[in-house]
């Protein structure tokens, strides 16, 4: 039996295989008025195709817990009930195809209010339908980016409440997995890293203080997310600063990630989705096939928290080896699933596994 096509159970949810779809923003939601943040036919077709292709778990893209938490005006949102109704249509179809639907709830922090990538991705100022971002500290992400508002303690508590409210809506929308986005230089990641968090109160300074906001979000989400359903946390295992001796900037490290994984487990997180980077502009990142897998493997080896690996995983044999070697419990595919929505079915054929096949496709099997 191929390890890649063994079912995987977390709490009461059994995911039919270990081929999972990583969250990837589509920047295709409604942008204003009652349609703001609402999923469109593009989202339905996009996710439905991967479910029909045999993907075991589909994690919807970063879905904002508030309007100002969007990366761009065209991001998905989950701060009102109109958005829930559109998402329910997607989750219903995914379940019907045998896939488990999950959603990544997110706040973009100081990286908010930017244009769609195909329009340059630059910052959008209020006069261009943008808004002032918020952050742990009044530090812009990079040169030319907007100066964020430094969150007050009261505002931090309000954001925690927004994550909890989004989680309730995720349940109403039919999701079976919630993932908290704590990676890639967005708000939670900004609090974790000393590179972006220069606060001197209880949310800054020490590791414990910088971790406080993330754990408060986890606790608030876990309190309203049913006990029988799994909770994921996505992390950037490193800012890629300490890996480069010539870069003197201080950031979040792989050692921090291992330490934090134990905290997440104690607070009710069921799996760590291990990515890297995104918080420090111009960090030197050494890429290649599976370049982020060693970070996931270290968490798996040194803690009891299950992990999923991501990052240039493209080949069925490569994915199988990651699992067979015990480096991760599942693999998350990104761009490869954009290129080939039926990657899971093709990999199953190659490795001798099985995936659910729509009746309409039986003649192709």
């Amino acid at each position: 039996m191929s390890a890649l096509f063994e079912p995987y159970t977390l709490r009461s949810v059994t995911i039919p295989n270990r081929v999972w779809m990583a969250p990837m923003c589509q920047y295709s939601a409604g942008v204003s008025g009652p349609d703001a943040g609402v999923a469109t036919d593009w989202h339905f077709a996009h996710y439905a195709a991967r479910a029909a292709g045999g993907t075991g778990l589909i994690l919807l893209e970063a879905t904002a817990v508030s309007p100002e938490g969007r990366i761009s005006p065209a991001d998905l949102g989950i701060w009102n009930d109109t958005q829930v109704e559109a998402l329910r249509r997607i989750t219903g179809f995914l379940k019907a195809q045998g896939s488990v639907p999950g959603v990544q709830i997110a706040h973009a922090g100081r990286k908010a209010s930017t244009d769609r990538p195909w329009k340059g991705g630059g910052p959008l100022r209020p006069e261009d339908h943008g808004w002032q971002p918020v952050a742990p500290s009044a530090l812009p992400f990079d040169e030319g980016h907007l100066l964020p508002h430094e969150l007050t303690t009261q505002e931090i508590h309000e954001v925690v409440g927004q994550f909890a409210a989004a989680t309730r809506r995720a349940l109403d929308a039919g999701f079976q997995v919630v993932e908290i986005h704590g990676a890639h230089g967005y708000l939670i990641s900004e609090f974790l890293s000393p590179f972006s968090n220069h606060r001197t109160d209880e949310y800054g300074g020490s590791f414990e203080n910088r971790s406080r906001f993330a754990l408060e979000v986890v606790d608030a989400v876990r309190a309203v997310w049913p006990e029988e359903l799994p909770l994921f946390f996505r992390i950037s295992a490193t800012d890629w600063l300490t890996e480069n001796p010539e870069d003197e900037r201080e950031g979040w490290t792989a050692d921090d990630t291992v330490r934090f994984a134990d905290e997440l487990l104690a607070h009710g997180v069921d799996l760590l989705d291990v990515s890297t980077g995104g918080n420090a502009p111009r960090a030197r990142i050494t890429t290649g096939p599976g370049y982020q897998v060693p970070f996931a493997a270290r968490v798996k080896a040194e803690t009891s928290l299950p992990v999923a690996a991501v990052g240039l995983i493209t080949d069925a044999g490569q994915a199988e080896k990651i699992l067979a070697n015990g480096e991760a419990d599942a693999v998350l595919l990104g761009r490869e699933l954009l290129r080939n929505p039926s990657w899971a079915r093709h990999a199953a054929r190659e490795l001798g596994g099985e995936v659910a096949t729509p009746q309409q496709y039986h003649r192709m099997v």
Side-chain angles (χ1 to χ4, degrees):
M1 177 68 176
S2 162
L4 194 60
F5 292 96
E6 290 180 357
Y8 190 63
T9 299
L10 289 165
R11 299 194 185 234
S12 69
V13 176
T14 297
I15 303 167
N17 59 57
R18 316 295 181 97
V19 181
W20 299 355
M21 183 176 180
M24 290 174 284
C25 289
Q26 297 298 295
Y27 305 101
S28 299
V31 299
S32 62
D35 293 329
V38 176
T40 63
D41 285 347
W42 173 265
H43 295 95
F44 182 87
H46 171 64
Y47 293 113
R50 278 78 197 168
T55 307
L57 168 68
I58 295 177
L59 286 170
L60 265 66
E61 63 207 77
T63 302
V65 300
S66 66
E68 62 273 13
R70 292 172 293 174
I71 303 167
S72 83
D75 279 20
L76 280 184
I78 193 165
W79 66 81
N80 67 43
D81 294 339
T82 301
Q83 296 159 346
V84 168
E85 188 62 34
L87 293 170
R88 194 179 291 128
R89 177 183 176 224
I90 295 172
T91 61
F93 186 86
L94 301 191
K95 290 175 183 177
Q97 305 311 309
S99 294
V100 172
V103 62
Q104 184 185 75
I105 54 175
H107 193 300
R110 67 178 184 169
K111 294 177 78 173
S113 191
T114 59
D115 210 344
R116 292 176 167 114
W118 54 86
K119 291 188 175 182
L124 292 174
R125 303 186 182 280
E127 58 268 26
D128 299 318
H129 307 291
W131 58 93
Q132 184 182 26
V134 300
S137 302
L139 301 168
F141 172 66
D142 199 0
E143 296 177 6
H145 281 249
L146 300 174
L147 180 69
H149 162 70
E150 182 173 309
L151 289 165
T152 66
T153 301
Q154 179 59 38
E155 289 168 339
I156 290 171
H157 296 162
E158 290 171 1
V159 175
V160 172
Q162 291 168 351
F163 272 94
T167 302
R168 293 189 188 95
R169 290 193 174 94
L171 181 65
D172 189 29
F175 291 103
Q176 294 174 280
V177 173
V178 159
E179 176 173 275
I180 298 168
H181 198 349
H184 302 159
Y186 298 121
L187 186 62
I188 294 175
S189 176
E190 293 163 18
F191 270 91
L192 290 173
S193 176
F195 177 77
S196 45
N197 184 347
H198 293 187
R199 299 177 74 97
T200 57
D201 63 3
E202 67 269 33
Y203 289 98
S206 67
F207 174 90
E208 290 80 6
N209 283 356
R210 287 184 283 108
S211 303
R212 190 181 308 278
F213 172 61
L215 293 178
E216 287 180 351
V217 170
V218 169
D219 288 344
V221 168
R222 188 74 266 181
V224 299
W225 189 237
E227 182 69 21
E228 67 271 17
L229 297 180
L231 174 63
F232 292 6
F233 190 99
R234 181 167 240 198
I235 198 164
S236 284
T238 176
D239 286 340
W240 288 100
L241 298 179
T242 56
E243 284 77 12
N244 302 301
E246 69 277 11
D247 198 326
E248 298 180 353
R249 296 177 292 175
E250 182 184 10
W252 183 262
T253 70
D255 289 343
D256 293 329
T257 295
V258 171
R259 180 180 177 183
F260 189 52
D262 286 328
E263 294 286 339
L264 292 172
L265 181 62
H267 284 256
V269 169
D270 299 291
L271 181 137
L272 191 64
D273 173 357
V274 184
S275 188
T276 64
N279 193 40
R282 293 174 297 282
R284 194 177 74 186
I285 302 174
T286 303
T287 62
Y291 72 103
Q292 296 178 143
V293 174
F295 297 98
R298 184 176 169 194
V299 174
K300 183 164 176 61
E302 298 182 28
T303 79
S304 299
L305 186 62
V307 299
V310 66
L312 288 180
I313 300 170
T314 60
D315 176 77
Q318 174 198 19
E320 179 75 11
K321 185 177 179 181
I322 291 167
L323 300 185
N325 288 348
E327 296 174 286
D329 298 284
V331 295
L332 287 152
L333 275 67
R335 292 176 178 85
E336 192 62 22
L337 272 175
L338 297 184
R339 288 185 282 265
N340 181 3
S342 295
W343 190 94
R345 176 163 294 108
H346 296 159
R349 186 176 299 135
E350 178 178 337
L351 298 174
E354 293 183 1
V355 296
T357 302
Q359 293 181 349
Q360 296 89 337
Y361 290 175
H362 277 183
R363 74 191 72 174
M364 298 172 59
V365 176

